[in-house]
Amino acid sequence: MTPNAWKVGENPFPDTCDLLPDPGGHIEWLMQRRDGIGSSDCAAALSMSRWSDATPWHLFMDKTGQLPLESADTEAAEWGRRLEPAIRQAAADRLGMQVQTVGGLANRERPWMRASLDGVLIDNGEPVILEAKNTSIYLAEEWDDQIPDAAELQVLHSMAVTGASHAYVAGLVGGNRLVVRKVERDQELIDHIISIESELWGRVCDYYAARRQFDEGVLDLDEFERIARALEPALSARDTVDSIVGASPRRDTDTIVVDADTAGQAREWMRQ
């Protein structure tokens, strides 16, 4: 593909994936995320995330709608979004490449496997992935001659979705140092990612199949509950009490949306 062969709004990877429709709003975007496993879910799916609630259990419970949609935003996430365009352009300038943005992508062979790219670079006429990160100075050592594991897994997942041969990860460290690293395609690790995520997504599909049988009266509530519990991945030390208690006790609830104030009131009520 030549630089002029791809225009803004078009699919830069037409042979391997499809563009997802524009969700239109934040809640709709959160709902769309539940229709598959995205690149930012990869570390959690592989039990390799450092963060609380970034686990296979939490991912399964979210994808099956048994946790509230997290509509609240953090200040760190807000600044990450605000700085993303600057990081993206600075990385492209440093690499001497063109960069464009693209909507969500779904792999054609595995439609549940999704990627939302921060940017697409044109590297010698080939579209490749750019991931932009804004990170604290306290995590600077993770960017010394390397990139964080979660970021590497994220772009490898995106390579699995798009078929791209490589990716670049750009990290703005402490607000004043830009690190840009190239990540080559590692097919063995990509195959491992696909295998683990396929198993997890199979559990999600089996849950919804049982849910349909419950809705149609084929299964009673106890039978459905037994199947649903058996499908849950094992809990880990990083699954928080808030998430475990917050998992929906009602399997007939389609969508639960909890804002930050409501969630805080609920936690306060639970402490009484």
Side-chain angles (χ1 to χ4, degrees), residues 39-52:
S39 53
S40 59
D41 296 325
C42 184
L46 271 64
S47 301
M48 291 185 65
S49 175
R50 70 164 73 202
W51 306 113
S52 297

Side-chain angles (χ1 to χ4, degrees), residues 87 91 94 130-135 143 147-148 168-174 176-181:
I87 298 170
R94 181 169 294 186
L130 174 65
E131 184 64 33
K133 299 292 185 186
N134 177 49
T135 191
W143 294 86
I147 60 172
Y168 291 91
V169 178
L172 181 63
V173 182
N176 59 9
R177 180 167 72 97
L178 183 68
V179 178
V180 182
R181 307 277 186 221

Side-chain angles (χ1 to χ4, degrees), residues 31 34 64-65 208 211 215 250-256:
M31 292 295 296
R34 285 184 166 176
T64 54
Y208 278 114
R211 167 68 183 269
D215 291 341
R250 292 189 57 201
R251 309 300 171 193
D252 58 345
T253 302
D254 290 329
T255 305
I256 312 163

Side-chain angles (χ1 to χ4, degrees), residues 164-193:
S165 64
H166 59 280
Y168 291 91
V169 178
L172 181 63
V173 182
N176 59 9
R177 180 167 72 97
L178 183 68
V179 178
V180 182
R181 307 277 186 221
K182 184 178 182 180
V183 180
E184 298 285 358
R185 188 179 182 91
D186 182 336
Q187 193 58 50
E188 183 177 357
L189 185 48
I190 286 173
D191 289 342
H192 178 66
I193 289 170

Side-chain angles (χ1 to χ4, degrees), residues 20-135:
L20 293 170
D22 184 347
H26 183 61
I27 296 299
E28 291 78 10
W29 175 73
L30 291 172
M31 292 295 296
Q32 187 182 77
R33 282 174 54 86
R34 285 184 166 176
D35 292 337
I37 296 178
S39 53
S40 59
D41 296 325
C42 184
L46 271 64
S47 301
M48 291 185 65
S49 175
R50 70 164 73 202
W51 306 113
S52 297
D53 286 330
T55 66
W57 179 85
H58 193 276
L59 203 55
F60 171 85
M61 298 298 281
D62 177 63
K63 301 300 181 184
T64 54
Q66 299 181 78
L67 289 172
L69 284 174
E70 290 289 346
S71 61
D73 204 358
T74 65
E75 189 166 6
E78 178 189 350
W79 279 106
R81 284 195 308 277
R82 288 179 179 273
L83 290 170
E84 181 183 306
I87 298 170
R88 178 171 53 237
Q89 190 59 58
D93 292 345
R94 181 169 294 186
L95 293 166
M97 299 178 188
Q98 298 181 40
V99 65
Q100 295 184 19
T101 56
V102 65
L105 298 166
N107 182 266
R108 193 164 296 132
E109 182 180 345
R110 299 174 297 278
W112 54 267
M113 202 170 191
R114 310 287 180 84
S116 180
L117 308 181
D118 291 338
V120 178
L121 295 161
I122 302 299
D123 191 355
N124 293 318
E126 176 190 357
V128 298
I129 295 159
L130 174 65
E131 184 64 33
K133 299 292 185 186
N134 177 49
T135 191

